[in-house]
Amino acid sequence: MVEHHISLLSIAMAGLINLWLASRCGAGRGKAKVLHGDGGDTSLQRHMRAHSNFIEYTPIALLLILVLDLNEQHGWLLALTAAVFLLGRVLHAIGMQADKPSKPRMVGMLMTMLPYAIWIVWAALVAFGII
């Protein structure tokens, strides 16, 4: 039986990052005394957008990791790209707090998009039986 450690660890780490991002939103709400929405608080808006951005990219990324893993495409490349993606999501969230374009945000998006593109092509090649 093939074990899916890369998928499991990626999902667990993504869950941990999601929890961290959600807790930042909750703390921001408490600090700004905002029950619903963002109350016009810039810091809370940034926390909320960082969390939303994570949610926009991560589910499809995890599905791509999982289907590649299920198709026995696991190994160092899948593990490395998963780690890069997740680190990129953290850097992007940190960079979202800056008042102007920031290096962590830019690097984080690059670390998001590169693995994402690799997985899309990889999954298509597997689907067509090329690899």
Side-chain angles (χ1 to χ4, degrees), residues 11-110:
I11 293 166
M13 293 306 298
L16 186 60
I17 295 167
N18 189 48
L19 186 61
W20 168 65
L21 292 170
S23 69
R24 290 186 347 153
C25 289
R29 282 185 189 289
K31 184 177 178 183
K33 296 180 177 34
V34 174
L35 185 59
H36 301 290
D38 59 38
D41 185 85
T42 304
S43 180
L44 178 55
Q45 289 170 356
R46 291 176 183 168
H47 286 311
M48 290 171 68
R49 275 306 307 147
H51 188 222
S52 297
N53 191 273
F54 180 81
I55 295 302
E56 290 164 3
Y57 286 96
T58 305
I60 299 298
L62 293 175
L63 282 172
L64 287 164
I65 292 167
L66 179 63
V67 298
L68 288 167
D69 206 359
L70 289 171
N71 280 279
E72 299 184 11
Q73 298 295 309
H74 47 273
W76 70 269
L77 182 59
L78 187 58
L80 178 64
T81 54
V84 167
F85 175 85
L86 292 167
L87 179 58
R89 296 286 68 216
V90 170
L91 288 173
H92 179 265
I94 291 167
M96 287 284 291
Q97 289 307 114
D99 289 330
K100 56 184 179 171
S102 67
K103 189 164 262 186
R105 185 177 181 184
M106 179 186 69
V107 171
M109 279 312 296
L110 182 62

